[in-house]
Amino acid sequence: MGKEQRGFSSSLGAIMAAAGGAIGLGNIWRYPYMLGENGGGAFLLANMFFVLAFGIPLIMSEFVIGRRSQSNVVGAYRKLGKKKGWTIIGYFSLISALLIYAFYSVVSGWTLNYIVLACTNKLSGLSPEQVTETFTTFTTGTFWPVFYQLLFLIMTALVITFGVQKGIEKVSKVLMPMLFLLLLFMCIRSLTLPAAKQGLHFIFHPDFSKLKMSGVLDALGQSFFSLSIGVGAMVTYGSYTSKEDSIFKTSTWIAVCDLLVAVAAGVVIFPAVFSFGMDPASGPELVYVVLPNVFNSMPAGTLFAVIFFVLLSIAALTSTISLQEILVAYTVEERQWNRRKSSIISMLVIFAVGIFCTLSFGPLSNFKIFGFTIFDLFDHVTASYLLPIGTLAMTIFLGWFYPKAEVKDEITNGGALKGNLFELYYFILRYAAPIALVIIIVSGIVE
Ligand code: TRP
C-alpha cells in the first residue's frame, strides 16, 4: 500500500462504509420477499428483535476482533488467538465471502440490466406476461447475464483498487446519502398510492398466526445476512475504524440504518403491490417481476423504475465492495500482494466461480446438487450453514477463549467510555448468541 495510513479517515466515513456493506440486496430485494412470504408484520417484529438483541452485539464482537488486531480476518485470529489453529476461522471466512460474492454478483448484475431496460423504456407498456418473459429470457440467457455480472465485478474491483480511504470510504460517503435520498423519495411516492393503507397494514400489523417456526428462523437468518455478520466483513471494516470511536455506537448506527432501510424498502414495495393487485408473496422475483408491472401502471412509471433500479444497484455495490475487501485485505496483508494485483486476481477467482451461478439459471439449470441449482445451493449453504457456523466460531473464540478483560478494554476504549451495558453484551456473546446459533444450525440440518 502507499503511504496512506491504515484505515478510514473519519468516524462518519467508517459508519457509511460499514452501513453500506450491511445495506444491500438483502434489504431491498431479499427482505421484502421474506416479509411477503412470512405474512408481514410478525416477521418484521421478529427480525427487529433479532437485529437489536443479537445483531448489535455480534457486529460489536467482529469490530472488537478487527480493531484489536488491526488486521484482516486471517491475521486477526493469528494475532489474537494464542494457538495457530484459530486462523482456521479466518480461512473459513474467506471461503464464505467468496461463495457469497459468487451468487450475490449474479443478482447485482441484474440490477444493471434493469437500469438499462428502464432507461431505454423497454419495460413500459408490457403486459404482465411480457414482464415475466423479459425477466426469464434475460436471466436464462448466456451472454448478457454473464456480461452484467462481470461488469459489476469490475466496478467493485475498481473501487477497491483505489484503496480504503480514496476508494471505499469516498464512494460510500457519496453513494449512501444518495441511497437514503432516493429511498425517501420512493417512499413518498408509494405512500401517496391508493392502497398505501393496505400496504402499511400488511407490513406493520403483526399477525402472529401467520408466523411459523420456519419464519422465525428465516427472520434470524435474514438479520445475520443483512448485517453482514459471520464472514469477517465487520472484522475487516472494524480494523479500519479509529481507536477513538465507540464500538457500541458505531455498531448501533449500522444496525439501525440497516433496519430502517429494510423497512423503508417494504414501505416502497407493498403499497405499490397492493395498489396494482399483485401478489405480496411472490418470492425472489418480487422486485424484478412485480415492480415493473407496478411502475407500468403508474404515472411517470419509467422515471420511478430508473430511480428504483439505480437505488438497488447502489445498495448492491457498497455490499460487493465489503465482500471483496475481505479477500483483498487478506492478500495484501498476509501475502504482500499490492492492491491492484489483489483486486484483479480475487475478482477473476470470484468470476470463475460466479459464472456457474449465473449459468445455473439457463444452460446449467438442469444441473442439480441435492436438488438445488448451483445458485440456490450457494445461497442456501451460505445463509443456512456457513454464516451461522462462522458466527458461532467467532462467538466461541471471543466469548470463551479470548480474555474478558481485553474485550472490555477494547469496547470501552481502555476505560475511557462507560461500560454500563458490558455485562449484558458479554452474556449475549457468551451464552445467548451461541445457543441461538446452534438452534439455527441444527434446525437447518434437520430440515
Ligand atoms: N449484508 C448485505 C446485504 O444485505 C450482503 C453482504 C455484504 C453480506 N457483505 C456480506 C452478507 C457479508 C453476509 C456477509 O445485501
Side-chain angles (χ1 to χ4, degrees):
M1 268 201 288
K3 293 287 146 264
E4 197 175 81
Q5 205 192 333
R6 191 180 192 285
F8 296 125
S9 67
S10 68
S11 317
L12 183 70
I15 292 176
M16 290 294 172
I23 297 166
L25 296 172
N27 303 63
I28 304 176
W29 165 70
R30 197 169 190 268
Y31 183 85
Y33 84 72
M34 286 265 164
L35 195 78
E37 285 178 342
N38 288 297
F43 180 87
L44 180 137
L45 273 186
N47 180 259
M48 192 181 272
F49 169 77
F50 292 133
V51 167
L52 300 178
F54 297 122
I56 294 175
L58 290 171
I59 297 176
M60 287 171 68
S61 304
E62 289 204 14
F63 265 59
V64 167
I65 295 173
R67 205 177 68 168
R68 192 99 187 142
S69 64
Q70 292 292 301
S71 281
N72 64 88
V73 68
V74 172
Y77 286 99
R78 184 167 43 71
K79 284 188 189 165
L80 301 187
K82 294 248 155 48
K83 297 208 188 69
K84 204 157 177 261
W86 289 113
T87 52
I88 213 166
I89 306 181
Y91 289 110
F92 186 85
S93 301
L94 294 179
I95 294 172
S96 306
L98 195 151
L99 295 182
I100 293 177
Y101 194 10
F103 80 85
Y104 199 87
S105 58
V106 178
V107 186
S108 303
W110 294 355
T111 66
L112 298 181
N113 176 58
Y114 271 76
I115 294 177
V116 173
L117 289 178
C119 284
T120 52
N121 230 356
K122 294 229 172 70
L123 288 174
S124 69
L126 302 185
S127 67
E129 293 73 37
Q130 287 169 319
V131 169
T132 308
E133 201 187 300
T134 305
F135 178 77
T136 326
T137 312
F138 166 64
T139 54
T140 58
T142 304
F143 180 77
W144 289 108
V146 172
F147 170 83
Y148 283 114
Q149 178 184 33
L150 184 60
L151 193 60
F152 214 94
L153 291 167
I154 293 173
M155 282 163 47
T156 308
L158 207 62
V159 176
I160 300 255
T161 310
F162 280 97
V164 174
Q165 287 180 13
K166 298 209 184 80
I168 302 174
E169 185 175 357
K170 215 173 193 175
V171 166
S172 307
K173 270 167 130 172
V174 175
L175 291 186
M176 292 316 287
M178 235 170 97
L179 177 106
F180 295 140
L181 273 180
L182 291 176
L183 194 60
L184 187 68
F185 181 77
M186 288 295 293
C187 278
I188 295 171
R189 165 70 261 210
S190 211
L191 289 174
T192 48
L193 288 172
K197 250 203 180 136
Q198 203 185 340
L200 292 182
H201 183 83
F202 179 76
I203 306 171
F204 294 112
H205 182 82
D207 176 355
F208 285 99
S209 67
K210 290 212 187 104
L211 191 65
K212 293 183 258 79
M213 192 54 205
S214 65
V216 175
L217 290 173
D218 276 350
L220 187 58
Q222 168 64 18
S223 67
F224 285 9
F225 183 83
S226 187
L227 295 172
S228 305
I229 293 167
V231 310
M234 294 298 171
V235 172
T236 308
Y237 277 9
S239 80
Y240 297 151
T241 61
S242 155
K243 285 278 185 190
E244 263 108 68
D245 290 352
S246 155
I247 287 186
F248 172 69
K249 270 194 199 148
T250 309
S251 307
T252 306
W253 268 110
I254 296 166
V256 169
C257 287
D258 188 72
L259 202 54
L260 284 178
V261 169
V263 174
V267 170
V268 169
I269 290 166
F270 291 106
V273 165
F274 286 109
S275 295
F276 300 101
M278 306 282 164
D279 178 12
S282 49
E285 286 162 30
L286 188 66
V287 306
Y288 289 100
V289 173
V290 175
L291 280 190
N293 285 313
V294 171
F295 294 132
N296 257 330
S297 39
M298 67 197 211
T302 300
L303 174 69
F304 292 106
V306 174
I307 294 177
F308 180 81
F309 288 112
V310 168
L311 188 98
L312 201 58
S313 68
I314 291 177
L317 181 63
T318 47
S319 294
T320 53
I321 291 171
S322 81
L323 281 164
Q324 198 183 355
E325 180 62 18
I326 303 171
L327 307 174
V328 169
Y330 161 74
T331 50
V332 166
E333 293 177 359
E334 304 290 309
R335 309 259 150 217
Q336 280 78 42
W337 295 1
N338 66 37
R339 245 182 190 274
R340 158 116 49 103
K341 176 176 168 193
S342 293
S343 313
I344 296 175
I345 294 186
S346 55
M347 181 190 89
L348 292 176
V349 172
I350 291 154
F351 183 56
V353 181
I355 193 169
F356 291 100
C357 296
T358 301
L359 297 178
S360 75
F361 283 89
L364 298 179
S365 61
N366 289 326
F367 178 75
K368 300 233 167 101
I369 305 171
F370 306 122
F372 290 108
T373 65
I374 302 170
F375 179 95
D376 289 338
L377 184 75
F378 278 35
D379 182 358
H380 180 74
V381 166
T382 52
S384 304
Y385 303 104
L386 301 188
L387 291 184
I389 291 172
T391 313
L392 180 63
M394 187 269 291
T395 57
I396 289 174
F397 170 73
L398 197 67
W400 292 85
F401 288 91
Y402 194 65
K404 181 176 177 183
E406 305 228 4
V407 177
K408 185 161 186 182
D409 187 72
E410 194 60 36
I411 285 185
T412 59
N413 293 355
L417 304 173
K418 294 187 286 165
N420 297 342
L421 293 173
F422 181 77
E423 291 303 327
L424 174 63
Y425 158 78
Y426 204 69
F427 172 79
I428 296 172
L429 169 67
R430 217 169 137 87
Y431 302 103
I435 291 171
L437 284 157
V438 168
I439 294 175
I440 314 191
I441 297 165
V442 171
S443 70
I445 295 170
V446 172
E447 188 194 310

